[in-house]
Amino acid sequence: TSAIAGAFPLSGATMNIVNGGSSLASTTLDVLTSTGSSSLNVDPNSLQEITRFRIQETSSNEGAYLHSFSVYNYGNAGDKDYKDVTLEAQDGTVLATAQPSGQITTFNLASPYFIDKGLTKDFTVKAKLIDGTTKTVQLVVYNNYDIDLRGSATSVSVIPGAGSNDT
């Protein structure tokens, strides 16, 4: 046994309670009409557009950082039928490249992508189609928590709501 000593009472930093609705980021997610063709040819050397998404910061309280993004293949193509799936920003910058595993493709961004408060950002998903001429690829966000967005000032996780074109 040993004696316990210290300066009592102990105290920590003073914390303030704030209204989250007026201080946290809020976002929506929409699927966009693809500019690509609905019938694509097998071409293992070229990226072809599969789908597009839009993330909008709607509260104008703080920006948000996109850390990761997962899509689910509702089509009947297997993970060996397509590869090198890319997530691109609206300026064409490739944010991440991933390989499908089962029906899921997860993009882990090396550097989080910033969406400033009140702004809208569009993202394009492309892939190389390597096999399966009678197969389909339909990449969708299956759950809203499949997107890792965090507030830029608070680092609080932000789950996007459905936008006007999505449920």
Side-chain angles (χ1 to χ4, degrees), residues 133-146:
T133 56
T134 60
K135 304 281 179 94
T136 59
V137 176
Q138 182 184 6
L139 300 178
V140 300
V141 176
Y142 192 73
N143 295 297
N144 58 359
Y145 53 80
D146 290 335

Side-chain angles (χ1 to χ4, degrees), residues 15-16 23-24 41 71 93:
M15 302 290 185
N16 294 320
S23 60
L24 300 176
N41 293 320
V71 289
T93 303

Side-chain angles (χ1 to χ4, degrees), residues 31-36 49 51-53 165:
V31 64
L32 299 174
T33 304
S34 181
T35 59
E49 183 176 315
T51 191
R52 296 185 310 139
F53 296 97
N165 297 327

Side-chain angles (χ1 to χ4, degrees), residues 20 23-27 57-64 150-152 154 158:
S23 60
L24 300 176
S26 179
T27 59
E57 198 294 315
T58 57
S59 71
S60 293
N61 292 329
E62 69 173 330
R150 300 178 204 166
S152 61
T154 62
V158 178

Side-chain angles (χ1 to χ4, degrees), residues 16-80:
N16 294 320
I17 298 174
V18 298
N19 179 341
S22 61
S23 60
L24 300 176
S26 179
T27 59
T28 60
L29 173 72
D30 262 320
V31 64
L32 299 174
T33 304
S34 181
T35 59
S37 171
S38 61
S39 296
L40 303 173
N41 293 320
V42 170
D43 183 353
N45 300 314
S46 300
L47 288 169
Q48 299 181 61
E49 183 176 315
I50 306 299
T51 191
R52 296 185 310 139
F53 296 97
R54 172 173 287 160
I55 298 174
Q56 181 177 12
E57 198 294 315
T58 57
S59 71
S60 293
N61 292 329
E62 69 173 330
Y65 282 104
L66 175 64
H67 289 265
S68 69
F69 192 98
S70 294
V71 289
Y72 178 84
N73 180 21
Y74 263 135
N76 63 5
D79 59 5
K80 303 294 184 231

Side-chain angles (χ1 to χ4, degrees), residues 2-16:
S2 61
I4 299 175
F8 297 101
L10 296 175
S11 63
T14 302
M15 302 290 185
N16 294 320

